[in-house]
Amino acid sequence: MKIVLASQSPRRQDLLGQMGLEFTTRSPQIDEDAFQGRDARDLVQTLSREKARWVAAQLPGDPIVIGADTVVVRDGTILGKPKDPAEAQAMLASLSGRTHQVYTGVTVCQGDKVVTQAEETQVTFRPLTQQEIACYVATGEPMDKAGAYGIQGLGGLLVAGIQGDYHNVVGLPVCRLGQILRDFGVDCLALAGR
């Protein structure tokens, strides 16, 4: 069964690989700005569905297409990828010593069948000094990540704890995705046991 990830994210690719899946990738060409102004849960579900549907429409046959979108939310405000180091520092300062939410929408589609769900994880940062923030931003790691940190990298040094799915914070709720895939006839544990 052909599986296609509607993303070029190396983190999502790594997570799908850890699930034991063989897949190819395809970049969705959608205007994400056209969907702004929604609440976080609705936004990530809508974007994941649009990404999956766009890629599915480009491919022959009926492959299983997986789309995902992740946002970081602080006090109801969505924090995207920082535009520059100053914005990254401001984002990290606003997360320091506080709890925020990470939402990922995930969509699986095949033909006319489309399933979209969202996962929420609470993430708590320890209090950070300005010097720590500056040092972290200087590594360059925050610049291509929503909320200006990557929990799977050096950003893990900032996180005091999480409540929920760790993989969701990385960018793909593995447990939830595995359950959705079973509805499409893909049982990751059974595949791994072969």
Side-chain angles (χ1 to χ4, degrees):
M1 189 171 296
K2 184 174 181 182
I3 298 174
V4 180
L5 174 64
S7 173
Q8 293 297 320
S9 163
R11 294 168 291 280
R12 290 192 179 118
Q13 292 177 42
D14 287 346
L15 291 172
L16 273 190
Q18 290 172 27
M19 292 173 70
L21 297 174
E22 292 184 17
F23 62 95
T24 58
T25 62
R26 188 84 177 253
S27 268
Q29 305 297 314
I30 64 165
D31 178 12
E32 295 190 20
D33 291 337
F35 300 96
Q36 301 307 312
R38 301 164 184 253
D39 81 317
R41 184 178 293 273
D42 182 44
L43 177 65
V44 296
Q45 289 185 100
T46 300
L47 287 174
S48 74
R49 188 169 43 253
E50 291 298 318
K51 290 175 181 180
R53 283 180 162 167
W54 189 92
V55 168
Q58 311 307 310
L59 301 172
D62 280 328
I64 293 174
V65 179
I66 301 167
D69 192 77
T70 302
V71 297
V72 173
V73 179
R74 184 209 66 242
D75 298 331
T77 300
I78 295 174
L79 303 179
K81 296 176 183 177
K83 294 177 185 69
D84 54 41
E87 187 174 29
Q89 287 193 20
M91 282 186 189
L92 292 165
S94 76
L95 298 174
S96 174
R98 302 179 62 200
T99 298
H100 62 274
Q101 296 74 43
V102 177
Y103 292 92
T104 299
V106 62
T107 295
V108 179
C109 68
Q110 183 179 37
D112 292 333
K113 184 175 180 180
V114 180
V115 176
T116 301
Q117 296 181 13
E119 186 75 30
E120 175 185 353
T121 303
Q122 303 284 327
V123 181
T124 302
F125 269 27
R126 65 179 177 80
L128 308 174
T129 67
Q130 285 299 331
Q131 181 179 4
E132 288 174 317
I133 291 171
C135 287
Y136 180 53
V137 171
T139 70
E141 184 178 275
M143 299 314 299
D144 69 339
K145 296 175 179 63
Y149 74 97
I151 195 171
Q152 73 284 357
L154 291 169
L157 295 168
L158 315 178
V159 177
I162 69 168
Q163 183 177 1
D165 183 343
Y166 165 83
H167 298 105
N168 185 53
V169 184
V170 178
L172 196 64
V174 169
C175 180
R176 185 176 293 272
L177 176 57
Q179 293 171 320
I180 297 171
L181 285 171
R182 287 181 64 185
D183 291 339
F184 286 80
V186 178
D187 187 328
C188 296
L189 289 175
L191 289 171
R194 289 184 184 169

